[in-house]
């Protein structure tokens, strides 16, 4: 394995790992039919959603290039036993049609707000992975009363929150690197228009390579309790991650001060894509925080 990664482009190595985990996650995902599904007319788009279970609402936001099943398939069956789980596929992803509208985090957060309006959900707990975590941060800043508790999995509110190798990787990726991948297979299985694949990848690579920063001062104003879950080697800059936790009120000595309402969990021996496969670990943290 070590020799394999010496022999290929590092960017391709990242993609190979992501594809392998995406495939394994999809194969292991439990098949559970949603209680409801459909399209919410939001900001000129038709945004696809699925609803599972009953109880307090929990909104799930997927990572880049992913679908509901590919990202959350192993967690939804368990989470929906006690919660009303609302999973959304964002612009161009999964069942949601491709749109020429520029992709940006603020617009995606506005779309999520629109879906919640459509489903008559005044407020909910929100969990986001990777790109979905950034959107979840933005949703909380734009509509703070919408978000009761916030779960951020392997994500950041600014592009400098990633280590430099990750921040620069997407600048050199090409659409052909995704050809014949499980990601494309998943896209072809549910996309309303399969001919938009190349445009989708082009649009996403531009989006992923565009710097963003929601502002330290804005993050410090978040009043919702936040659970941050990260892998110890998931590509997040752990110095910046510690600063983020401090902005949210964490990083204190709880023997001499009240325990912060926000929490930080760093899972050992986990990469960015591998972290989402740790189903039982994630469930333990989610159930403990959201109870």
């Amino acid at each position: 394995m070590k020799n394999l990664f010496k022999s290929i482009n590092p960017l391709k190595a990242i993609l190979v790992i992501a594809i392998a985990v995406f495939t394994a996650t999809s194969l292991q995902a439990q098949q559970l039919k949603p209680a409801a599904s459909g399209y919410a007319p939001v900001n000129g788009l038709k945004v696809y959603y699925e609803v599972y279970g009953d109880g307090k609402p929990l909104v799930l936001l997927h990572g880049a290039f992913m679908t509901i099943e590919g990202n959350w398939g192993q967690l939804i069956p368990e989470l929906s036993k006690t919660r009303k789980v609302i999973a959304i596929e964002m612009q161009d992803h999964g069942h949601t049609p491709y749109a020429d509208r520029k992709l940006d985090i603020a617009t995606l957060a506005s779309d999520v707000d629109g879906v919640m309006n459509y489903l008559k959900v005044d407020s909910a707990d929100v969990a986001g992975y990777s790109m979905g975590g950034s959107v979840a941060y933005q949703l909380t800043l734009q509509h703070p009363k919408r978000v009761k508790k916030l779960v951020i999995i392997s994500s950041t509110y600014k592009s400098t929150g990633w280590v430099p190798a990750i921040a620069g990787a997407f600048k050199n990726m090409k659409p052909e690197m995704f050809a014949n991948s499980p990601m494309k297979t998943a896209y072809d299985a549910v996309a309303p228009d399969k001919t938009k694949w190349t445009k989708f990848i082009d649009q996403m690579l531009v989006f992923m390579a565009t710097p963003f920063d929601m502002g330290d001062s804005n993050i410090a104003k978040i009043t919702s309790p936040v659970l941050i879950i990260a892998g110890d080697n998931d590509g997040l800059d752990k110095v910046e991650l510690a600063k983020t936790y401090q902005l949210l009120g964490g990083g204190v000595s709880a023997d001499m001060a009240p325990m912060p309402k926000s929490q930080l969990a760093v899972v050992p021996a986990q990469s960015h894509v591998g972290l989402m496969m740790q189903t039982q670990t994630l469930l333990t943290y989610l159930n403990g925080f959201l109870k």
Side-chain angles (χ1 to χ4, degrees):
M1 181 65 73
K2 184 176 180 180
N3 291 333
L4 170 64
F5 287 106
K6 283 183 177 181
S7 66
I8 62 177
N9 184 297
L11 295 179
K12 289 186 178 179
I14 293 172
L15 190 58
V16 166
I17 297 169
I19 287 172
V21 174
F22 184 94
T23 304
T25 302
S26 298
L27 290 174
Q28 293 176 22
Q30 298 182 40
Q31 298 301 313
L32 181 68
K33 291 184 178 180
S37 64
Y39 290 89
V42 175
N43 298 327
L45 301 183
K46 295 190 301 178
V47 179
Y48 181 75
Y49 66 88
E50 294 179 352
V51 181
Y52 300 81
D54 293 300
K56 295 180 179 179
L58 169 63
V59 175
L60 301 181
L61 304 177
H62 61 77
F65 308 105
M66 302 193 79
T67 63
I68 292 171
E69 181 181 353
N71 199 151
W72 303 107
Q74 296 182 67
L75 290 167
I76 287 175
E78 295 300 318
L79 293 172
S80 61
K81 289 179 179 178
T82 57
R83 305 295 298 263
K84 179 180 182 179
V85 176
I86 302 168
I88 297 172
E89 288 181 336
M90 291 179 278
Q91 179 184 339
D92 305 345
H93 288 75
H95 298 76
T96 298
Y98 173 84
D100 288 322
R101 184 186 70 173
K102 180 183 177 182
L103 272 172
D104 67 71
I105 293 171
T107 304
L108 294 175
S110 178
D111 291 344
V112 175
D113 176 65
V115 174
M116 293 177 71
N117 275 332
Y118 181 78
L119 295 177
K120 296 180 172 57
V121 176
D122 293 331
S123 61
D125 297 330
V126 178
Y129 166 68
S130 194
M131 179 187 79
S134 297
V135 175
Y137 268 129
Q138 187 66 46
L139 175 68
T140 308
L141 296 179
Q142 290 177 195
H143 306 281
K145 293 183 179 180
R146 283 287 199 201
V147 182
K148 289 186 175 181
K149 290 186 177 181
L150 178 63
V151 179
I152 303 294
I153 305 174
S154 196
S155 187
T156 178
Y157 63 91
K158 56 184 177 181
S159 48
T160 53
W162 298 106
V163 297
I166 296 298
F170 285 97
K171 294 180 181 179
N172 298 309
M173 280 191 172
K174 304 297 180 184
E176 52 268 26
M177 295 173 67
F178 293 82
N180 302 315
S181 70
M183 294 177 187
K184 186 175 188 306
T185 300
Y187 181 89
D188 288 343
V190 297
D193 185 352
K194 301 175 183 58
T195 67
K196 301 297 186 182
W197 166 255
T198 301
K199 285 188 175 182
F200 162 58
I201 294 298
D202 285 339
Q203 192 178 58
M204 281 298 297
L205 292 181
V206 171
F207 169 71
M208 299 295 288
T210 302
F212 67 96
D213 190 338
M214 298 172 203
D216 293 357
S217 61
N218 290 325
I219 296 300
K221 294 175 184 176
I222 291 176
T223 58
S224 302
V226 183
L227 166 62
I228 299 174
I229 306 174
D232 58 351
N233 290 282
D234 65 352
L236 288 174
D237 184 323
K238 294 305 180 291
V239 173
E240 291 297 326
L241 185 64
K243 291 179 182 177
T244 300
Y245 188 46
Q246 290 177 330
L247 291 173
L248 295 168
V252 303
S253 174
D255 294 311
M256 296 182 287
M259 184 69 70
K261 61 183 179 181
S262 292
Q263 300 174 16
L264 171 63
V266 178
V267 185
Q270 293 303 321
S271 66
H272 179 67
V273 289
L275 181 60
M276 281 308 301
M277 293 187 69
Q278 306 308 306
T279 304
Q280 292 305 316
T281 298
L282 293 175
L283 282 171
T284 297
Y285 287 131
L286 286 166
N287 289 333
F289 179 70
L290 297 176
K291 65 182 179 181

